[in-house]
C-alpha cells in the first residue's frame, strides 16, 4: 500500500483528512526542512488525486510547520545567521520556546479557517 492509498483510506471525512495532512506535513516540514517535505507532499497528493482542501492543508503545514524550530527552513537558518552577525544572541532553545508558543495555534487556526471555507 502506498502513502497515497493510506491517505485515501485513513480519515473518515475530507475535513479529518485535511486536518491530519496539515498536521503531519507541518511536523515533517520541521523535521526534514520544508522544501523536501513540500516536494514529497506534492507527489503524494498528486498521486492520491487529493481535493483542494487537502492540498491547501498540506500547503499550510509546509508554510507554518518550519516556524517551530530553526532547522525547519533554509530561510530561518539564513535569518538566524544574519541576526548573529549583528551580535544578537538567539539560541536554538530560545527559538524553540517561541516556536512552541506561536506555531501550533497558528497552524490550528489556519487549518480550521481553511476547513470552514
Amino acid at each position: 500500500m502506498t502513502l497515497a492509498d493510506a491517505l485515501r483510506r485513513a480519515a473518515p471525512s475530507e475535513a479529518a483528512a485535511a486536518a491530519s495532512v496539515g498536521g503531519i506535513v507541518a511536523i515533517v516540514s520541521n523535521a526534514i526542512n520544508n522544501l523536501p517535505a513540500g516536494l514529497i507532499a506534492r507527489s503524494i497528493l498528486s498521486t492520491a488525486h487529493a481535493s483542494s482542501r487537502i492540498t491547501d492543508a498540506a500547503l499550510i503545514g509546509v508554510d507554518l510547520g518550519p516556524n517551530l524550530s530553526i532547522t525547519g527552513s533554509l530561510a530561518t537558518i539564513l535569518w538566524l545567521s544574519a541576526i548573529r552577525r549583528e551580535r544578537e544572541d538567539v539560541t536554538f532553545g530560545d527559538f524553540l520556546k517561541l516556536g512552541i508558543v506561536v506555531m501550533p495555534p497558528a497552524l490550528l487556526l489556519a487549518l480550521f479557517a481553511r476547513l470552514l471555507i
Side-chain angles (χ1 to χ4, degrees), residues 10-117:
S13 70
E14 183 185 42
S20 298
V21 166
I24 291 167
V25 170
I27 292 166
V28 171
S29 290
N30 202 311
I32 67 169
N33 195 281
N34 64 335
L35 287 174
L39 292 171
I40 293 166
R42 181 194 174 275
S43 175
I44 293 169
L45 294 173
S46 177
T47 302
H49 302 289
S51 70
S52 63
R53 260 189 177 173
I54 294 174
T55 302
D56 291 350
L59 288 172
I60 290 168
V62 166
D63 287 339
L64 293 178
N67 294 318
L68 182 63
S69 73
I70 291 170
T71 58
S73 75
L74 178 58
T76 305
I77 295 168
L78 294 172
W79 270 108
L80 182 64
S81 177
I83 290 169
R84 287 182 175 163
R85 275 196 307 269
E86 298 296 322
R87 304 197 195 297
E88 294 292 329
D89 185 32
V90 179
T91 66
F92 183 86
D94 294 335
F95 197 96
L96 185 61
K97 285 178 199 172
L98 185 59
I100 287 173
V101 170
V102 174
M103 190 281 287
L107 179 65
L108 291 174
L109 287 171
L111 288 172
F112 182 70
R114 175 55 188 109
L115 294 177
L116 289 178
I117 298 172

